[in-house]
Amino acid sequence: MKRARLSDQVVEKIRDDIQRKRYKPGDKIPAEPALMKIYAVGRSTIREAIKSLAMSGILKVQQGAGTFVNADLETASLEQRLQRANFEEINAVRKLLEEEIVSLAVAHHTPAQLAAIGECLLARKEAIAAEDRQACTEADIAFHMAIAHASGNRVLAGLYQHFTATIRSFFSKRALQGFAHFAMSHHLHEDLFKAIKAKRKKAALDIIRHILAHNY
């Protein structure tokens, strides 16, 4: 677990170096011994980090030639860009999306959409009662996705749909995202549902901002 966390740190450092143009698209990055000195970690940690970055398409490993920054990085698709973003970047965009989604859902939800949100909220509660962390994660994402559909804006809902896979991936790596974390925040999700149902926009926005501020 310690080595895995260390390799994640190296992944973020290499991403930052690419963003700062230390390594540009098409560039060959230093060999393992040099990377070990640059990031002050062992060979196995470097290899784990390189593997992770290669799987996400940021780096390309060419046998016999070395490891290169993906030359197509600047023209990557939205899904690829999301996979390469760090948690803070994802959360900042998620905040913008969710606030607009909640605002629109307050005004435009239908009875059927409201019922769907309520069903997801119930599933979240049942997952908490069962102490099933994976079920909690899926029910929580489904709850927010149902609100996105209730916004009445298919483009926003589609964008949020793209975000769900990335959010799921990030949250699965965070040690704090356990059963207790979902239980502690459930009342906020219930309050959000009630505010949307009652068409109380200010209250709904205050609640979603609180949820996002604490990464609930």
Side-chain angles (χ1 to χ4, degrees):
M1 289 295 292
K2 183 177 181 180
R3 193 175 72 213
R5 289 198 295 271
L6 194 56
S7 68
D8 287 343
Q9 292 174 23
V10 174
V11 165
E12 292 304 316
K13 289 178 181 178
I14 293 175
R15 280 177 170 170
D16 288 342
D17 284 340
I18 292 172
Q19 290 176 348
R20 295 188 180 105
K21 304 300 182 181
R22 180 176 185 176
Y23 311 126
K24 300 176 183 178
D27 282 358
K28 180 179 177 179
I29 68 170
E32 284 183 359
L35 290 173
M36 290 163 62
K37 291 182 179 180
I38 292 169
Y39 300 109
V41 295
R43 188 179 300 274
S44 61
T45 300
I46 290 296
R47 288 182 174 176
E48 287 176 11
I50 295 300
K51 181 180 178 180
S52 176
L53 290 164
M55 289 178 64
S56 66
I58 295 175
L59 298 179
K60 283 185 177 181
V61 179
Q62 298 181 11
Q63 295 298 327
T67 302
F68 298 80
V69 179
N70 193 336
D72 298 325
L73 201 57
E74 293 179 337
T75 58
S77 68
L78 174 60
E79 187 172 352
Q80 290 172 324
R81 288 177 183 273
L82 291 177
Q83 290 174 351
R84 296 165 187 166
N86 60 40
F87 182 80
E88 287 70 26
E89 291 171 327
I90 290 293
N91 222 31
V93 179
R94 182 190 172 199
K95 180 177 182 291
L96 292 174
L97 275 178
E98 292 231 38
E99 287 188 15
E100 184 63 19
I101 282 169
V102 165
S103 178
L104 291 173
V106 168
H108 302 300
H109 68 261
T110 66
Q113 290 167 339
L114 197 65
I117 298 171
E119 289 174 4
C120 293
L121 185 64
L122 178 59
R124 193 180 191 279
K125 183 177 181 179
E126 291 174 345
I128 292 170
E131 299 186 13
D132 187 331
R133 182 181 177 281
Q134 184 59 38
C136 284
T137 298
E138 297 303 324
D140 182 81
I141 290 174
F143 172 79
H144 290 279
M145 193 68 238
I147 295 174
H149 287 306
S151 72
N153 187 311
R154 289 180 294 179
V155 174
L156 277 177
L159 285 172
Y160 195 80
Q161 181 69 56
H162 276 289
F163 264 74
T164 58
T166 309
I167 292 168
R168 184 182 288 106
S169 176
F170 273 112
F171 277 81
S172 69
K173 297 176 183 177
R174 292 171 68 87
L176 292 178
Q177 296 298 313
F179 156 72
H181 182 86
F182 288 103
M184 286 165 48
S185 67
H186 191 70
H187 71 284
L188 291 172
H189 291 73
E190 290 181 332
D191 289 345
L192 178 59
F193 173 66
K194 292 174 183 176
I196 291 173
K197 182 178 181 179
K199 293 184 178 291
R200 292 187 289 119
K201 180 178 176 179
K202 183 180 183 304
L205 287 174
D206 286 344
I207 295 165
I208 193 61
R209 286 166 184 157
H210 186 72
I211 288 173
L212 293 171
H214 293 82
N215 295 328
Y216 285 149

